[in-house]
């Protein structure tokens, strides 16, 4: 018992990364909030917490897929804003939902192609698409407004058998991601490619017949699609299109991923760690809101956490 | 495609930074659309507006030469603007503010450099996080509202002219020449080039890789502080939004100017023209009636296009 607990808390060299510690942090924050505030442990606040955490959990899982192959997707936030803007175009849901995912896949495809075919650094490629998508979003919807189809709103509010719908979203997304990462050939290839990139032997996976190019492109497509799911969820929550709703979301997802023990250099990381990392972020936000911390200070604190968790990771490469 | 790239003339052309071509295309567009705008006075005003960006580019190109990036410029500019405009230092003189700004930039640059060079944290993450922290801090201190006015002397200095050339533009050219001297003539410049080319080989040849990276970032912080002073002089008031889009524009101008991570083909003057391109681009877009979203898209397309331009070239040995 003691031994296995120790392994979880200090599992530095496993493929899953260090995820026990953030779990401990999440539990400690919840405990502290339960003791310190009367509002935290109420059904209403916990429901809100789940609903608040869900977009970050979904988008962070997408980011995890890209981080596992040693990449980074900075276009996540703008894809989320873009999705809400498209959903508020006033067309029926049956048209909007497929087009949202097609467009997200297209953005991911552009990222992936630029990185693999044209040798552009992932950060530069996704930074440029971030700006392009942000510009298109601002043309579609300069300020927040419009109405989202009823079906989307209905899918995120309400509950079934006492279980709120947002929780179902989480369960479905996590199951899909679990199958993708741990139950498919693609998941195995992701870890293989990422491990090669992290250790500086980029051709290792290729030598075993794993096509790195196609898998990397697919990773960026998957990341954008997860961001689109998060965008659909958020659109249902805010009931309108908002060009700024995804602002700085890409950094929150990176923080959540890194907080969950995933190494940004690739190859090491876990789904449960990422979900826990996103939960810690949501708990912190919830706690800071309950404690009336200024939103500006909250942003600064988030930046500090990002700096701290990424700063604690060690890596070989210097620079980008 | 490959056959075209293998052609010696095409390869010679590909060696020239894209900023020169883009600059000529934009100049031609402006000449066709509004020929009367192409006089020294009007262009002087437009180029003067771009000077903070041009100065920030100088720092960006140094760090990009050592395969790093600095996105913290926005936060540095905002913080220094807050220092000068908030009235926290009543009755302070111009030299005091200059020293304060330079010290701030130096400290932030040194911190970036330490995190990136010593702790080996991803440069994007460090500098973005530093920027977010600074922006959050300034917005909290000023409760989201713009702070007060900037001492009048700043704007007066900004508006001076020397032989009918605006002083800020002259200052920018001199600073660019100084950075050119630094990179071309000093040992530090050689170190920067070798670290960018191959950090491992540089290390085994006795180049202090870590110290070079830290110094490059410290220099970038210092240059960002100078950009902040000029920017503050140009807007003449306190702001909680000033300069936030400058770092990304600086990256775009640097890549456009032929300096991509680790490769410095464009030297210092390629990125100089990269910044000039943005001065012209904003004029052309205003003339053609393209507003904010269009500019965002143009920035993205330019960065991606320039990066692909180099990516394709690297692929063909």
């Amino acid at each position: 018992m003691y031994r296995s607990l120790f392994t979880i808390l200090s599992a530095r060299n496993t493929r899953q990364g260090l995820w026990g510690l953030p779990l401990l942090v999440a539990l400690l924050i919840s405990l502290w909030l339960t003791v310190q505030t009367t509002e935290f442990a109420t059904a209403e606040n916990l429901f809100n917490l789940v609903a608040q955490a869900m977009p970050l959990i979904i988008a962070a899982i997408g980011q995890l897929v890209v981080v596992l192959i040693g990449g980074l997707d900075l276009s996540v936030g703008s894809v989320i804003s873009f999705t809400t803007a498209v959903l508020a175009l006033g067309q029926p849901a049956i048209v909007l939902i497929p087009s949202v995912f097609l467009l997200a896949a297209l953005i991911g495809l552009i990222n992936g192609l630029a990185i693999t075919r044209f040798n552009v650094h992932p950060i530069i490629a996704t930074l440029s698409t971030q700006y392009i998508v942000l510009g298109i979003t601002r043309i579609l919807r300069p300020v927040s407004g419009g109405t989202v189809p009823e079906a989307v709103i209905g899918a995120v509010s309400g509950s079934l058998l006492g279980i709120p719908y947002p929780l179902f979203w989480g369960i479905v997304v996590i199951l899909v991601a679990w199958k993708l990462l741990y139950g498919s050939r693609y998941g195995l290839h992701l870890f293989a490619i990422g491990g090669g990139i992290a250790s500086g032997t980029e051709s290792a996976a290729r030598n075993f017949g794993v096509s790195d190019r196609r898998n990397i492109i697919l990773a960026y497509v998957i990341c954008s699609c997860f961001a689109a799911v998060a965008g659909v969820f958020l659109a249902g929550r805010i009931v309108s299109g908002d060009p700024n709703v995804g602002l700085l979301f890409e950094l929150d997802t990176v923080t959540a991923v890194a907080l969950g023990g995933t190494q940004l250099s690739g190859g090491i990381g876990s789904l449960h760690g990422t979900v826990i990392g996103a939960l810690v972020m949501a708990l912190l936000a919830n706690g800071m809101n309950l404690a009336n911390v200024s939103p500006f200070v909250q942003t600064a604190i988030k930046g500090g956490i990002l700096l701290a968790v990424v700063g604690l990771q060690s890596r070989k490469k210097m620079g980008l | 495609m490959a056959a075209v790239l293998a052609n010696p003339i095409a390869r010679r052309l590909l060696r020239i930074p894209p900023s020169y071509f883009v600059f000529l295309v934009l100049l031609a567009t402006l000449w066709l659309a509004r020929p009367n705008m192409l006089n020294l006075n009007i262009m002087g005003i437009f180029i003067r507006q771009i000077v903070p960006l041009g100065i920030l580019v100088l720092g960006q190109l140094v760090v990009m030469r050592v395969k790093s990036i600095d996105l913290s410029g926005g936060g540095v500019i905002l913080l220094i603007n807050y220092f000068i405009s908030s009235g926290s230092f009543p009755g302070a003189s111009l030299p005091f503010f200059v020293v304060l700004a330079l010290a701030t930039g130096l400290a932030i640059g040194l911190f970036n450099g330490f995190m990136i060079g010593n702790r080996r944290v991803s440069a994007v993450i460090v500098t973005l996080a530093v920027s977010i922290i600074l922006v959050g801090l300034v917005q909290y201190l000023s409760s989201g509202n713009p702070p007060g006015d900037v001492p009048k002397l700043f704007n007066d200095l900004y508006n001076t002219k020397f032989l009918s050339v605006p002083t800020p533009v002259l200052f920018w050219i001199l600073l660019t020449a100084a950075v050119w001297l630094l990179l071309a003539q000093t040992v530090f410049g050689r170190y920067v080039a070798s670290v960018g080319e191959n950090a491992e080989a540089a290390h085994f040849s006795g180049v202090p890789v870590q110290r070079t990276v830290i110094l490059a970032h410290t220099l970038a912080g210092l240059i960002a502080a100078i950009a902040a002073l000029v920017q503050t002089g140009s807007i003449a008031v306190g702001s909680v939004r000033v300069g936030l889009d400058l770092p990304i524009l600086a990256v775009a101008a640097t890549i456009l100017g032929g300096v991509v991570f680790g490769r410095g083909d464009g030297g210092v003057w390629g990125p100089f023209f990269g910044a000039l391109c943005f001065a012209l681009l904003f004029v052309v877009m205003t003339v053609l009636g393209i507003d904010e979203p269009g500019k965002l898209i143009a920035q993205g397309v330019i960065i991606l296009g320039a990066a692909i331009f180099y990516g394709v070239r690297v692929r063909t040995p």
Side-chain angles (χ1 to χ4, degrees):
Chain A
M1 173 62 199
Y2 170 75
R3 171 102 197 220
S4 61
L5 193 66
F6 183 78
T7 326
I8 287 172
L9 286 178
S10 66
R12 267 183 172 269
N13 295 318
T14 68
R15 204 178 70 177
Q16 301 193 329
L18 188 70
W19 60 272
L21 207 58
L23 182 63
L24 206 64
V25 172
L27 292 175
L28 284 177
I29 297 174
S30 324
L31 194 70
W32 189 76
L33 284 172
T34 317
V35 176
Q36 286 291 316
T37 63
T38 45
E39 303 104 307
F40 178 73
T42 58
E44 197 194 345
N45 186 52
L46 289 181
F47 175 84
N48 270 337
L49 182 70
V50 170
Q52 276 170 11
M54 210 45 74
L56 183 60
I57 291 177
I58 299 169
I61 291 174
Q63 187 71 263
L64 169 72
V65 174
V66 169
V67 168
L68 278 179
I69 51 150
L72 203 66
D73 191 343
L74 295 178
S75 65
V76 166
S78 61
V79 170
I80 291 175
S81 303
F82 177 65
T83 304
T84 67
V86 171
L87 281 178
L89 282 178
Q91 303 294 319
I94 195 90
V95 182
L96 288 176
I97 299 286
S99 32
V100 155
F101 284 101
L102 274 177
L103 290 167
L106 182 69
I107 296 165
L109 189 67
I110 294 172
N111 284 336
L113 282 177
I115 292 159
T116 55
R117 300 275 155 177
F118 296 107
N119 219 12
V120 179
H121 195 281
I123 285 162
I124 296 301
T126 55
L127 204 62
S128 359
T129 43
Q130 180 196 354
Y131 273 77
I132 297 170
V133 174
L134 200 63
I136 298 171
T137 309
R138 294 249 166 98
I139 291 174
L140 285 178
R141 192 148 291 287
V143 288
S144 66
T147 40
V148 171
E150 279 300 321
V152 176
I153 301 169
V156 294
S157 35
S159 57
L160 184 75
L161 302 170
I163 303 168
Y165 278 158
L167 211 54
F168 280 110
W169 281 67
I171 292 167
V172 171
V173 167
I174 289 170
L175 281 180
V176 169
W178 189 275
K179 176 76 186 150
L180 185 78
L181 288 177
Y182 302 117
S184 76
R185 183 188 297 196
Y186 180 68
L188 208 56
H189 288 179
L190 276 184
F191 281 100
I193 296 168
I197 287 176
S199 62
T201 48
E202 265 116 351
S203 57
R206 206 181 305 142
N207 291 344
F208 282 100
V210 175
S211 156
D212 47 355
R213 267 193 188 181
R214 214 181 327 146
N215 285 325
I216 289 173
I217 295 174
L218 193 56
Y220 283 92
V221 172
I222 290 172
C223 179
S224 287
C225 287
F226 271 97
V229 176
V232 172
F233 184 92
L234 262 175
R237 293 280 300 169
I238 59 176
V239 208
S240 60
D242 186 345
N244 295 321
V245 71
L247 203 70
L248 294 180
F249 223 94
E250 57 278 351
L251 291 180
D252 283 357
T253 59
V254 175
T255 315
V257 167
L259 206 55
T262 300
Q263 296 286 316
L264 291 187
S265 41
I268 296 172
S270 67
L271 177 61
H272 38 288
T274 301
V275 174
I276 294 166
L279 270 176
V280 171
M281 296 286 289
L283 276 170
L284 276 173
N286 192 268
M288 287 194 287
N289 280 334
L290 290 179
N292 276 328
V293 177
S294 142
F296 303 127
V297 176
Q298 291 197 18
T299 315
I301 289 176
K302 276 188 198 166
I305 296 171
L306 176 63
L307 203 56
V309 290
V310 181
L312 285 174
Q313 295 188 354
S314 61
R315 64 169 197 169
K316 267 190 191 157
K317 223 182 90 191
M318 199 193 286
L320 285 167
Chain B
M1 185 89 167
V4 176
L5 289 173
N7 184 309
I9 299 169
R11 293 189 61 178
R12 181 68 61 82
L13 279 176
L14 279 173
R15 215 163 269 273
I16 302 171
S19 57
Y20 296 115
F21 299 121
V22 176
F23 183 73
L24 288 177
V25 169
L26 287 168
L27 212 57
T29 316
L30 199 63
W31 184 66
L32 286 174
R34 293 278 191 288
N36 55 335
M37 284 185 86
L38 285 178
N39 71 59
L40 200 69
N41 265 330
I42 297 179
M43 291 323 285
I45 291 169
F46 285 129
I47 292 172
R48 196 180 65 170
Q49 280 175 356
I50 219 78
V51 169
L53 170 67
I55 293 174
L56 204 57
V57 162
L58 295 173
Q60 194 65 259
L61 82 91
V62 175
V63 290
M64 276 172 78
R65 285 286 295 271
V66 294
K67 281 196 178 133
S68 189
I69 197 169
D70 188 351
L71 298 172
S72 66
V76 175
I77 291 176
L78 207 57
L79 182 66
I80 290 173
N81 177 270
Y82 178 80
F83 278 159
I84 297 174
S85 62
S86 64
S88 319
F89 306 97
S93 60
L94 185 69
F96 172 82
F97 279 127
V98 171
V99 170
L100 180 71
L102 293 182
T104 309
L106 199 72
I108 294 168
L110 197 61
F111 176 77
N112 286 340
F114 175 78
M115 290 300 279
I116 294 158
N118 190 291
R119 296 286 316 145
R120 306 210 164 186
V121 189
S122 160
V124 183
I125 306 284
V126 173
T127 54
L128 267 182
V130 164
S131 192
I132 291 176
I133 295 172
L134 294 178
V135 171
L137 213 63
V138 168
Q139 290 187 333
Y140 169 69
L141 289 174
S142 54
S143 345
N145 299 313
D149 288 327
V150 168
K152 201 172 164 297
L153 191 57
F154 274 90
N155 196 242
D156 287 349
L157 260 178
Y158 179 78
N159 282 329
T160 52
K161 278 189 176 183
F162 185 78
L163 300 175
S164 81
V165 179
T167 327
V169 178
L170 215 60
F171 179 63
W172 175 28
I173 295 173
L174 284 177
L175 210 58
T176 310
V179 173
W180 173 74
L181 273 177
L182 181 75
L183 288 179
Q185 300 293 325
T186 66
V187 177
F188 173 70
R190 297 289 167 87
Y191 282 173
V192 165
S194 63
V195 170
E197 205 65 54
N198 187 335
E200 208 166 327
H203 171 73
F204 286 117
S205 318
V207 173
V209 176
Q210 191 172 315
R211 209 197 312 154
T212 306
V213 171
I214 294 176
L215 210 57
H217 271 282
T218 313
L219 193 65
L222 204 62
I223 293 175
I226 298 173
L229 288 169
V230 178
Q231 179 72 282
T232 305
S234 88
I235 60 165
V237 287
S239 166
V240 287
R241 298 211 47 80
V242 59
L244 287 185
D245 57 343
L246 282 188
I248 190 69
L249 283 175
V251 173
T254 310
I255 297 179
L256 204 59
V259 176
V260 216
F261 305 111
R263 302 171 65 90
D265 295 357
V268 170
W269 301 102
F272 179 86
F273 272 88
L276 278 181
C277 281
F278 278 97
L280 280 185
L281 183 75
F282 290 149
V283 178
V284 169
M285 292 190 110
T286 313
V287 164
L288 298 179
I290 301 169
D291 43 347
E292 203 52 40
K295 286 178 186 170
L296 287 176
I297 296 176
Q299 284 169 32
V301 169
I302 288 174
I303 304 177
L304 195 59
I308 286 177
F309 178 88
Y310 280 97
V312 170
R313 214 186 50 171
V314 170
R315 275 282 154 95
T316 50

